[in-house]
């Protein structure tokens, strides 16, 4: 399902696309819970959940302690019991603090149980491009090897990120979505069918066609390549 746009619609900070999409998902799917460090009261460190705790309640959008392994462990338990948790790890660098739970439990659950058990948890985090001193790690190669059995998605912008969340909620596989850390204040158009449109997984997207060079990239570097 393609995103639809009103030609006259103004562009907004990209975080608004995520916020409104999560708002629509929480309203539509009562089994969704979103939680993590600073996810609740302040609406996450980049305001992608702004105001959603107040609107949907502290039991559905809430803060956790600073313990990544516990966050992931809670999410696995919820997912195995029929809920649809979206567990937020504040920055991509911190994913390694829960790596043993991801690789030994979540990524292998369906395989180890011959498909009889599933844990469709979505892990939301941000990072990917090296910028600044702190929270700038981009350990993608390690993550890809550690969590075979999970989707690892790095959207190039927040419209695409929202579409990935919408797609993942239609299936029973666990996934990690790495939002572009420097993309929350970039201007994007807000789709009219927020919460409905989807982005296919594993399908290359041709952004600009040409005849001389094929440039393959992903995530934050797409914006650099286009310029």
């Amino acid at each position: 399902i393609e995103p639809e746009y009103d030609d006259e619609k103004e562009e907004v900070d990209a975080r608004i696309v995520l916020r409104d999409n999560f708002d629509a998902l929480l309203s539509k799917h009562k089994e969704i819970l979103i939680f993590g460090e600073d996810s609740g009261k302040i609406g996450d460190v980049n305001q992608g959940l702004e105001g959603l705790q107040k609107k949907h309640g502290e039991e559905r959008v809430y803060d956790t302690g600073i313990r990544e392994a516990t966050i992931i462990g809670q999410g696995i338990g919820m997912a195995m019991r029929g809920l649809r948790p979206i567990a937020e790890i504040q920055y991509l660098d911190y994913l390694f603090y829960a790596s043993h739970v991801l690789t030994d439990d979540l990524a292998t659950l369906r395989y180890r149980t011959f498909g009889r058990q599933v844990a469709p948890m979505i892990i939301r985090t941000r990072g990917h491009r090296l910028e600044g001193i702190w929270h700038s790690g981009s350990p993608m190669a390690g993550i890809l090897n550690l969590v075979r059995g999970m989707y690892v998605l790095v959207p190039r912008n927040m419209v695409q990120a929202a579409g990935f969340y919408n797609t993942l909620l239609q299936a029973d596989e666990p996934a990690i979505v790495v939002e572009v850390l420097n993309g929350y204040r970039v201007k994007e158009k807000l789709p009219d069918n927020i919460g409905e449109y989807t982005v296919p997984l594993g399908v290359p997207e041709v952004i600009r066609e040409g005849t001389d060079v094929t440039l393959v990239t992903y995530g934050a570097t797409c914006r650099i390549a286009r310029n």
Side-chain angles (χ1 to χ4, degrees), residues 11-30:
E11 293 186 332
V12 298
D13 285 348
R15 70 174 186 87
I16 301 297
V17 177
L18 282 173
R19 184 199 66 186
D20 288 4
N21 195 76
F22 283 131
D23 184 20
L25 293 178
L26 285 162
S27 299
K28 184 167 60 173
H29 302 286
K30 299 304 181 184

Side-chain angles (χ1 to χ4, degrees), residues 169-200:
L169 286 168
Q170 298 180 5
D172 286 330
E173 284 79 30
I176 299 170
V177 180
V178 184
E179 297 168 8
V180 174
L181 182 56
N182 62 357
Y184 294 102
R185 296 298 187 272
V186 174
K187 299 297 182 182
E188 296 184 39
K189 277 194 173 183
L190 181 68
D192 292 328
N193 56 340
I194 201 77
E196 300 291 341
Y197 71 91
T198 54
V199 175

Side-chain angles (χ1 to χ4, degrees), residues 138-174:
S138 189
M140 295 305 302
I143 291 169
L144 287 170
N145 280 281
L146 283 170
V147 297
R148 284 176 287 184
M150 296 177 61
Y151 284 109
V152 179
L153 309 176
V154 188
R156 65 182 176 89
N157 58 29
M158 301 311 168
V159 167
Q160 194 175 62
F164 278 151
Y165 289 118
N166 299 340
T167 301
L168 290 168
L169 286 168
Q170 298 180 5
D172 286 330
E173 284 79 30

Side-chain angles (χ1 to χ4, degrees), residues 105-122:
D105 297 313
L106 182 58
T108 62
L109 176 67
R110 195 165 195 169
Y111 169 78
R112 287 186 289 107
T113 62
F114 296 96
R116 289 194 293 269
Q117 290 183 313
V118 295
M121 176 171 65
I122 300 172

Side-chain angles (χ1 to χ4, degrees), residues 63-118:
D63 296 316
T64 66
I66 306 176
R67 185 69 175 175
E68 287 74 16
T70 301
I71 294 170
I72 300 302
Q74 290 174 347
I76 294 173
M78 293 175 185
M80 291 181 69
R81 285 158 178 79
L83 297 171
R84 296 305 298 246
I86 299 176
E88 181 170 318
I89 300 298
Q90 196 171 74
Y91 293 102
L92 182 62
D93 318 47
Y94 299 159
L95 205 62
F96 280 127
Y97 294 114
S99 60
H100 59 299
V101 187
L102 291 171
T103 187
D104 200 43
D105 297 313
L106 182 58
T108 62
L109 176 67
R110 195 165 195 169
Y111 169 78
R112 287 186 289 107
T113 62
F114 296 96
R116 289 194 293 269
Q117 290 183 313
V118 295

